[in-house]
Amino acid sequence: MRAALATIAVAAIGAAALWWGTDQGRALTSEAARRNDIAAAPRLLPDVTFHDQTGAAFALSDYRGAPLVLEFVYATCPDICITLGTAFERLDATLPEDARLVSISFDPRDDTERLGWFADRHGAQTPRWRVAGIEDDADRAALLARADVVVIPDAMGGFVHNAGLYLVDPEGRLSAIFEPEDTEGLRVALAGDAR
Amino acid sequence: MRADRAIIGGAALLLLLALSPLGPLLESRLATHILGYYPLNVAGGAVIGARLAQGRGVPWTAAPALLMATLTLAFWALPRWIDASLADDSVHAARTANLALLAGLPLGWGWTQAGPILRGFFIANAAAMLAVMGWLMLAVPSRLCNTYLLSDQRQLGNGFLIVAAGLVAALLGQALIGSMREPGSRRQHACHLAE
């Protein structure tokens, strides 16, 4: 009897801990947790300065007042960034005219020339779609940390990173993250925001 | 005197894991993290728990203690909390304490108090859970931890399957060898040796 009661008590406490630890069963991974967090409480991104594929400098705050979509890539990425680039091509073709796209490289080696490779491959043209690098290491780290983008080196000189399409609202807050394939979901969400 | 050595040994193992480069080394790969770091962290507490249980006959505590250890391990096996413990030092510290005190201690205590049926059930259950997790690690196409590569995940999947197979083999071996003996034969054998 004592054993049964104690076992039930432990099971109840354990179940409660697991319920809490998975955001009520909605987040088994940190990726899911990050998306839930951001959707529940949009995050203001640090106002870092970028340089784009034409060499021009710009800041995140230049985009206030209009919807903005970000993605994080690197110029020599062989796989997931191609998917991300293709997703941006689709968004470029379907989003309203005032929406802007920025592909942000987290690779410090990506200079104007290398950013140009990525832009050329996907037909990115300013001002609609910028491919941007961040000069300052601290700025880059701060932006990645704020968006919870985790970049780890792979075994072949490249990087592995959590990929997504990042919707930034007109106030400059990161408000939602979508799967790279889910351009339609992003388009619908953006149309909903505009209403 | 000898008993105190168990407690000192367990504490020393926990300190070694927390303070030496061994911890970060094991954590650098997913497979050694889960199949090396975790078991050592748990073992540190289990040695102490087993020592505390010696000479204290409270069999009704066995099942809740083993369940507590299982649920604590389940919590910290969630990919979300594996990532979080690497990203956040305070989460890491909480995990170290949890694995030692809420998994290791009750495991050592509960195992010592448990009878053969409960032990067998516990091992069979652990083997089944490890096999399912191993299959999951091999089957899931995407990365579950943002901190580790997909190849790390596959490696851990294989590791889980090997450990599960080892547990089944141990259980089977014990069951087969045990059934070949007459009840009480082990004691008779020991007496015979003593003569």
Side-chain angles (χ1 to χ4, degrees), chain A residues 21 23 28 30-31 160-162, chain B residues 80-81 83 143 146-147 149:
Chain A
D23 289 353
L28 297 178
S30 52
E31 187 58 23
V160 172
H161 55 109
N162 45 349
Chain B
R80 175 187 182 177
W81 292 103
D83 272 338
R143 294 185 308 140
N146 280 341
T147 332
L149 301 173

Side-chain angles (χ1 to χ4, degrees), chain A residues 7-87:
Chain A
T7 305
I8 290 167
V10 169
I13 294 167
L18 286 168
W19 186 247
W20 172 83
T22 57
D23 289 353
Q24 294 79 48
R26 293 179 303 138
L28 297 178
T29 63
S30 52
E31 187 58 23
R34 165 177 91 129
R35 293 180 188 196
N36 291 342
D37 272 3
I38 286 168
R43 298 179 187 174
L44 192 64
L45 295 175
D47 188 21
V48 301
T49 309
F50 300 92
H51 55 92
D52 70 14
Q53 69 266 41
T54 67
F58 68 98
L60 212 49
S61 55
D62 296 348
Y63 288 94
R64 295 280 162 84
L68 170 66
V69 185
L70 306 177
E71 63 181 4
F72 291 87
V73 296
Y74 65 103
T76 51
C77 175
D79 36 53
I80 185 68
C81 309
I82 310 263
T83 311
L84 287 167
T86 312

Side-chain angles (χ1 to χ4, degrees), chain B:
Chain B
M1 200 59 204
R2 188 172 180 182
D4 289 317
R5 255 187 267 160
I7 292 179
I8 293 168
L13 179 57
L14 291 174
L15 279 177
L16 177 78
L17 210 54
L19 302 178
S20 79
L22 177 67
L25 182 72
L26 289 173
E27 285 175 328
S28 65
R29 303 300 297 270
L30 181 59
T32 53
H33 188 167
I34 303 303
L35 297 176
Y37 189 102
Y38 274 39
L40 286 176
N41 199 156
V42 170
V47 170
I48 298 173
R51 161 69 192 113
L52 294 178
Q54 268 170 28
R56 291 186 172 91
V58 265
W60 69 271
T61 58
L66 291 177
L67 181 64
M68 182 191 280
T70 305
L71 290 172
T72 305
L73 278 170
F75 183 95
W76 291 105
L78 289 171
R80 175 187 182 177
W81 292 103
I82 294 173
D83 272 338
S85 66
L86 293 172
D88 188 331
D89 286 342
S90 56
V91 175
H92 193 275
R95 187 187 74 181
T96 303
N98 269 216
L99 289 181
L101 300 176
L102 298 182
L105 211 62
L107 178 66
W109 175 280
W111 186 261
T112 309
Q113 299 288 349
I117 294 175
L118 189 56
R119 285 184 181 185
F121 174 79
F122 182 76
I123 293 291
N125 191 47
M129 284 199 301
L130 287 169
V132 169
M133 288 204 295
W135 166 77
L136 199 69
M137 296 288 140
L138 295 173
V140 170
S142 56
R143 294 185 308 140
L144 293 173
C145 286
N146 280 341
T147 332
Y148 292 104
L149 301 173
L150 194 58
S151 57
D152 283 323
Q153 195 167 306
R154 300 285 185 251
Q155 216 172 34
L156 177 63
N158 286 321
F160 274 148
L161 292 183
I162 290 168
V163 176
L167 288 179
V168 170
L171 208 58
L172 214 60
Q174 207 183 31
L176 292 177
I177 292 166
S179 69
M180 281 189 286
R181 288 205 186 117
E182 291 298 311
S185 66
R186 183 178 264 169
R187 184 177 295 162
Q188 282 164 12
H189 186 61
C191 292
H192 181 68
L193 279 180
E195 283 163 20

